[in-house]
Amino acid sequence: MKNSPLKTYLAEVSAEKINTAFVSYIANLEQVAQVGPEIAASIVKELEAQRTHLKLIASENYCSLNTQAAMGNLLTDKYAEGFPSHRYYGGCENIDDIESVAAEEAKALFGAEHAYVQPHSGADANLVAYWAILSAKIEAPVLEKLNETNLANLTDEQWADLRVSLGNQKLLGLDYYSGGHLTHGYRQNVSARMFDAHSYTVSKETGLLDYDAIEKQAMEIKPLILLTGYSAYPRAINFRRFREIADKCGAVLMVDMAHFAGLVAGKVFTGDEDPVKWADVVTTTTHKTLRGPRGAIVLCKAAFTDYVNKGCPLVLGGPLPHVMAAKAIAFKEARTPAYQDYAKSVRDNARILAAELQNLGMTIQTGGTDNHLMLINVTQFGLTGRQAETAMSECGMTLNRNSLPFDPNGAWWTSGLRIGTPAITTLGMGPAEMKEIARIIKLVLFASKPGKTDKGVASKGRVVVDEDAKTEAIAAVNALLGKFVLYPELDLEFLKKSFC
Ligand code: DSN
């Protein structure tokens, strides 16, 4: 990089036209490029990729440039194990302030009694929640009986007994194939190894949660934790009903609202559909519908505060102070009327898209959606989810294949496509664009056929998309994205010229 792109930009633009967000972006890239020009180039190429592909992944979004700015600084240098005013390192006063602001913002946003904003990911947040519940419900009574407060003081025999009881508790969560998450007791995940894990499924007939059946199962199993929440369930959940079931079977009610936290924050899900009101412990990632930085939080009733605050050393290492700062910014953004409008549009768009896909002859799991996502059954096209995902990707649409309940094609090939509206709604798209997206999806799916391997054998992964349809679909995607530009403050051509 011979010349400074920042100086070039400032020399080219008149003072009143200087865009501070763009200045900050160029300055940041210029710093990066001084050491890693290829990294700066990849950041710019990723901007181009995200601008030229229609993002339909239900779990992704675009956080604000303000949120991104809060992450790129010296806060990353600080260790801050512990929690505000109770740290294992000196010099944490500013981190205390940042973490406290983020936690207070989260509490206010969700109406929670307590917020713990350190988890780095949803899987971490769920582990913190699991171990906080185990600490509160299994470990604390043992310690009380022994009149002891410090685990280090237990005899080897007492410690062995405690470990056995901690490791044999029951978890009842939504089955992975019914839309539950890996961390909800899937056998390949640590959750199924640390718990005696049981699953409930959606109804085979309706694809919906059957609360009476869940209650019956919960009364038989009597789990320590009754868990609900999902990664791929297109309907609202009645958390009041889950509370009743948990109370009846003596379970702690935990909700993983990672996918729909933005709909809770934006007051789309209220009353019986608001998990924070009904659950003992709620976890969420911060980067999906919530539109913050990549990370997670735990919310809980006051009774769990002391246990959740021990997330480090219980599960986590040092928190990421720069990400906690970005969480605070995102939570402030989510406490605005504009964000509530956004959340409402996410659901309106999903409903319109699902209805239009059905009007155009596609099969939508459960016949529609109440949230930000829908599942298309692609078996009517003779395709696997994997083939449909590839076909969409070849036509400029980024989404993911997904198992459908009781899917004969398993978790790898699958029979479904999961589609979400959070990102396209952030771009500003509305009802007309949903209809256009449905038209493009139909165009691609009806024009796709299963492909063959190089040896001419039928393949569950290969797909052939009619070339004319592909050209038409790509043109239509580009036309849409040309009208709804990601981060319009950023001049991509300038960035490419400067850094690629
Ligand atoms: N990977 C997330 C999703 O796509 O739903 C869940 O962890």
Side-chain angles (χ1 to χ4, degrees):
M1 197 175 56
K2 289 186 219 93
N3 303 314
S4 156
L6 183 59
K7 286 183 187 162
T8 306
Y9 172 74
L10 292 175
E12 281 174 0
V13 72
S14 57
E16 66 277 9
K17 288 213 173 129
I18 288 176
N19 178 331
T20 50
F22 190 41
V23 168
S24 141
Y25 214 83
I26 304 171
N28 179 300
L29 283 171
E30 197 165 316
Q31 293 294 122
V32 173
Q34 279 169 16
V35 181
E38 73 281 41
I39 300 295
S42 289
I43 294 171
V44 174
K45 285 184 204 159
E46 181 60 20
L47 173 62
E48 182 170 36
Q50 297 220 15
R51 267 200 188 169
T52 50
H53 290 79
L54 197 62
K55 192 192 273 207
L56 297 172
I57 293 184
S59 50
E60 292 189 8
N61 210 329
Y62 307 109
C63 69
S64 71
L65 294 176
N66 312 65
T67 297
Q68 292 178 22
M71 276 184 280
N73 54 57
L74 82 175
L75 294 174
T76 188
D77 295 333
K78 198 69 197 93
Y79 256 120
E81 284 160 327
F83 51 88
S85 308
H86 186 85
R87 304 286 189 189
Y88 294 89
Y89 288 81
C92 289
E93 294 75 14
N94 295 312
I95 311 303
D96 281 0
D97 289 345
I98 288 166
E99 182 168 347
S100 300
V101 171
E104 287 306 315
E105 289 290 334
K107 279 167 65 180
L109 178 62
F110 291 107
E113 291 178 14
H114 181 65
Y116 181 68
V117 298
Q118 294 190 17
H120 315 152
S121 71
D124 283 356
N126 283 347
L127 275 180
V128 169
Y130 289 149
W131 281 103
I133 295 167
L134 287 167
S135 304
K137 294 293 175 183
I138 306 300
E139 190 176 285
V142 170
L143 291 177
E144 198 181 323
K145 207 158 135 204
L146 296 172
N147 204 14
E148 188 50 78
T149 54
N150 190 344
L151 289 175
N153 291 341
L154 300 191
T155 64
D156 287 350
E157 202 178 326
Q158 288 166 336
W159 177 237
D161 285 348
L162 178 58
R163 285 183 59 233
V164 168
S165 34
L166 285 169
N168 281 304
Q169 298 305 319
K170 291 179 177 168
L171 169 75
L172 176 59
L174 179 60
D175 183 55
Y176 177 73
Y177 292 96
S178 287
H181 190 251
L182 295 171
T183 56
H184 297 178
Y186 189 61
R187 287 201 175 167
Q188 313 303 327
N189 182 263
V190 65
S191 53
R193 298 170 191 206
M194 61 182 266
F195 283 112
D196 173 12
H198 300 256
S199 304
Y200 53 91
T201 65
V202 293
S203 150
K204 267 195 173 135
E205 289 73 42
T206 62
L208 300 172
L209 292 176
D210 176 342
Y211 297 98
D212 292 341
I214 295 167
E215 176 172 323
K216 186 162 172 285
Q217 197 179 354
M219 291 307 290
E220 280 160 19
I221 293 169
K222 297 258 165 66
L224 172 71
I225 302 175
L226 176 62
L227 171 61
T228 192
Y230 52 80
S231 291
Y233 179 70
R235 294 295 178 178
I237 293 181
N238 183 334
F239 296 108
R240 182 186 51 77
R241 187 74 179 91
F242 264 104
R243 177 78 261 165
E244 281 169 12
I245 299 171
D247 287 345
K248 203 162 164 191
C249 71
V252 173
L253 179 60
M254 175 175 158
V255 176
D256 178 344
M257 65 169 181
H259 260 264
F260 53 95
L263 301 183
V264 180
K267 314 288 179 232
V268 172
F269 287 158
T270 57
D272 292 353
E273 296 173 356
D274 174 359
V276 182
K277 191 168 161 189
W278 299 102
D280 299 293
V281 181
V282 177
T283 59
T284 180
T285 49
T286 44
H287 49 270
K288 296 188 175 90
T289 45
L290 196 48
R291 210 165 62 174
R294 184 159 298 280
I297 59 173
V298 181
L299 305 171
C300 64
K301 298 289 185 221
F304 288 90
T305 298
D306 290 346
Y307 303 100
V308 166
N309 276 350
K310 296 203 176 92
C312 168
L314 192 58
V315 170
L316 304 171
L320 309 176
H322 55 309
V323 182
M324 293 196 290
K327 286 173 184 169
I329 299 298
F331 298 154
K332 282 175 184 285
E333 289 172 345
R335 289 182 63 200
T336 59
Y339 183 86
Q340 294 194 3
D341 290 346
Y342 161 73
K344 187 173 168 297
S345 299
V346 167
R347 179 162 74 173
D348 290 347
N349 279 342
R351 284 183 164 161
I352 294 165
L353 182 54
E356 190 64 11
L357 287 166
Q358 289 182 115
N359 289 342
L360 295 176
M362 278 157 278
T363 307
I364 300 294
Q365 192 68 17
T366 78
T369 179
D370 297 328
N371 54 28
H372 62 296
L373 69 85
M374 67 212 69
L375 295 160
I376 306 182
N377 185 331
V378 295
T379 51
Q380 73 182 96
F381 305 100
L383 300 173
T384 62
R386 173 74 192 243
Q387 290 163 327
E389 176 192 279
T390 304
M392 292 293 173
S393 169
E394 287 180 8
C395 295
M397 286 170 283
T398 312
L399 43 62
N400 65 287
R401 65 188 184 280
N402 215 98
S403 304
L404 300 178
F406 316 103
D407 198 324
N409 276 328
W412 178 252
W413 302 113
T414 83
S415 302
L417 286 180
R418 187 182 66 164
I419 295 188
T421 54
I424 51 180
T425 306
T426 293
L427 291 181
M429 294 188 191
E433 290 73 36
M434 295 309 114
K435 292 191 176 162
E436 174 63 356
I437 291 169
R439 186 188 73 79
I440 307 170
I441 291 172
K442 176 194 167 180
L443 173 68
V444 177
L445 287 179
F446 277 88
S448 300
K449 288 195 310 237
K452 296 197 168 137
T453 64
D454 296 340
K455 292 186 177 149
V457 179
S459 157
K460 283 187 169 187
R462 300 263 177 109
V463 66
V464 180
V465 188
D466 174 80
E467 284 303 322
D468 290 344
K470 196 188 282 186
T471 307
E472 186 185 338
I474 291 171
V477 165
N478 287 341
L480 266 182
L481 291 172
K483 282 192 268 175
F484 296 89
V485 178
L486 173 63
Y487 304 127
E489 307 91 324
L490 308 182
D491 178 344
L492 180 60
E493 288 315 309
F494 181 91
L495 294 176
K496 278 167 69 179
K497 200 173 56 187
S498 307
F499 296 105
C500 292

